Amino acid sequence: MTQIRVLVVDDSALVRRLVTTALRQAPDIEVAGVARDGLEAVRMVGELRPDVVTLDIEMPNLDGLGALTQIRDQHPRLPVIMFSTLTERGATATLDALSRGASDYVTKPSNTGQIADGIAAIRDQLVPRIRALAGIRKLTPGVSAPVVRRERPALAAVSALLIGCSTGGPDALARLLPRLPADLGVPVLVVQHMPPVFTTMLAQRLDKVSALTVREAVDGEPARPGEVLIAPGDFHMRLRRSPAGIRVALDQGPQENFCRPAVDVLFRSAVEPYGAGALAAVLTGMGQDGLAGARDLAATGARILVQDEESSVVWGMPGAVAGAGLADDVLPLDQLADRIIATVRRSRAA
C-alpha cells in the first residue's frame, strides 16, 4: 500500500497530539513529521517532501498565512489543508488562505478536552481530504475527453442558475461570480460546503467583487434576478413555489452525502418550480454531492455545466456528473461564466 506522507504543523502540543493520533489510525497515511511554527514548517517541507501539509493559522515566529505563501512559492502544487477555528476571525483567515492557494481547510474541534471525540472529529474531517488531495500528485489517468450528454433536449428559457461546489469552491466562486453581469436576469442559488460563520464571510467577500448582489439566503425570501443567495452553513436550501413566486426555504433536515447544506437538496428542490428552466453548474469538490440532483434535473430537460478536471482542485463532484453522462458541457473554470451568460441570453431570446 502506498503511504500518503503528511507534515502536521501546529503550535499547540494538544492539537498536534490529536491530529497525529487521528492520522495514524488510517492505514494509508504516515505522519512524516511535526512542526511547531511556520518557520519549521517551511524548512521541513523542503527536507521531508511530504505529500500533504496540515497547517495551523495562528502560530508564533511565522503564522500560517506567511508559511503558506512561502510554501506556495517553493512548492506550487503541494496540497495544503488549513486548520482553522470556527470563529469569525478563523473564517476570515481561512478565506485569506484559500485565496492565497490553500487547497482546503478543516475546523478544529470545539471541545479538545474530550480527547476521543476530538480525535474522531479530526479523523472524519481530515482523512478524506488528505486522500482526495493526495490524488492530485499521483499519476492517475483522468478523463481523456469530456463526457457529455448524447441527446440534448431543446433549450428552454433559463429561469434560475444553480451552483454547487465544495473543495476549491470559494476560489472558484471568486473567479466565476464577478464575471456574471448585473443584468444576467435570473436568480443565482449557491451551495458551497461550509460551516456557519464561514458562509457569512464568504458571501460578504463575494459581494464586494461582484456586480450581482451576493448574500446569505434568508428563510422565506423570494429568489430574485440580480441576487446570488448562498446557503447558510448547517442549513439545507430548498426552492418552493408560492402564490407570490418562488421562495427559498431553509431547514436543518438530515445531512445528505454527509453534508448540510447539500447540493443534491438544492438541485432536487428546483425540479418542480423550474424544471427545464434550471441551469446547473457543478464546480470543483470532493465526493459526489450533486450527482443525484443533477440526474433529476437532467430528466426534466434542464442544462448542466461541469467544471473540467484540470481546473478543479478535486474532480469529485463535477467528475461524477460528467462520468454519468449528465453534463451538457465540461469546461475550464475560466470559460464557465461566458457559457452561462450565452446560455441564459440565447434561451431567453428564443
Side-chain angles (χ1 to χ4, degrees), residues 72 137 188 206 226 236 252 266 290 299 318:
R72 271 286 161 266
R137 307 183 71 205
V188 182
L206 293 172
H236 290 311
Q252 292 184 300
L266 173 64

Side-chain angles (χ1 to χ4, degrees), residues 4 34 132 153 188 224 270-271 294 312:
I4 302 171
V34 176
V188 182
R224 290 181 285 248
V271 168
S312 296

Side-chain angles (χ1 to χ4, degrees), residues 105 129 165-167 191-195 199 257 259-263 286 289 317:
Y105 70 96
R129 285 170 168 81
C165 45
S166 182
T167 310
V191 167
Q192 160 69 48
H193 295 162
M194 269 188 158
T199 48
N257 306 298
C259 301
R260 189 172 58 222
V263 180
M286 183 176 67
D289 189 24
M317 289 166 50

Side-chain angles (χ1 to χ4, degrees), residues 255-278:
Q255 292 186 352
E256 294 196 22
N257 306 298
F258 307 102
C259 301
R260 189 172 58 222
V263 180
D264 274 338
V265 172
L266 173 64
F267 282 8
R268 188 171 60 242
S269 74
V271 168
E272 190 280 324
Y274 289 122

Side-chain angles (χ1 to χ4, degrees), residues 65-254:
L65 292 178
L68 173 66
T69 300
Q70 294 189 31
I71 291 170
R72 271 286 161 266
D73 287 343
Q74 300 169 29
H75 311 276
R77 292 191 60 80
L78 175 64
V80 178
I81 301 173
M82 306 307 294
F83 217 49
S84 172
T85 54
L86 193 58
T87 63
E88 183 172 322
R89 181 176 177 180
T92 299
T94 300
L95 291 170
D96 284 341
L98 293 171
S99 70
R100 295 188 192 190
S103 310
D104 203 357
Y105 70 96
V106 296
T107 53
K108 295 183 179 183
S110 56
N111 183 9
T112 54
Q114 300 294 324
I115 300 296
D117 292 344
I119 291 171
I122 291 170
R123 182 189 64 236
D124 292 347
Q125 284 195 82
L126 199 50
V127 169
R129 285 170 168 81
I130 288 172
R131 287 172 175 156
L133 290 168
I136 295 171
R137 307 183 71 205
K138 302 193 186 311
L139 299 177
T140 52
V143 177
S144 58
V147 180
V148 297
R149 289 161 78 174
R150 294 179 180 176
E151 296 183 9
R152 301 186 185 186
L155 180 60
V158 174
S159 301
L161 171 61
L162 316 172
I163 301 174
C165 45
S166 182
T167 310
D171 182 60
L173 292 171
R175 292 166 61 187
L176 173 67
L177 293 183
R179 297 182 64 179
L180 299 179
D183 63 351
L184 183 65
V186 298
V188 182
L189 295 308
V190 177
V191 167
Q192 160 69 48
H193 295 162
M194 269 188 158
V197 182
F198 283 64
T199 48
T200 305
M201 305 301 294
L202 176 65
Q204 291 174 0
R205 287 184 173 226
L206 293 172
D207 184 58
K208 291 178 181 178
V209 297
S210 302
L212 295 162
T213 299
V214 185
R215 56 187 176 79
E216 272 193 321
V218 176
D219 185 52
E221 71 174 316
R224 290 181 285 248
E227 292 188 346
V228 180
L229 300 181
I230 297 180
D234 204 32
F235 282 85
H236 290 311
M237 180 165 67
R238 306 176 198 267
L239 297 164
R240 311 278 195 206
R241 187 183 297 278
S242 75
I246 297 169
R247 295 185 176 273
V248 168
L250 304 178
D251 66 73
Q252 292 184 300

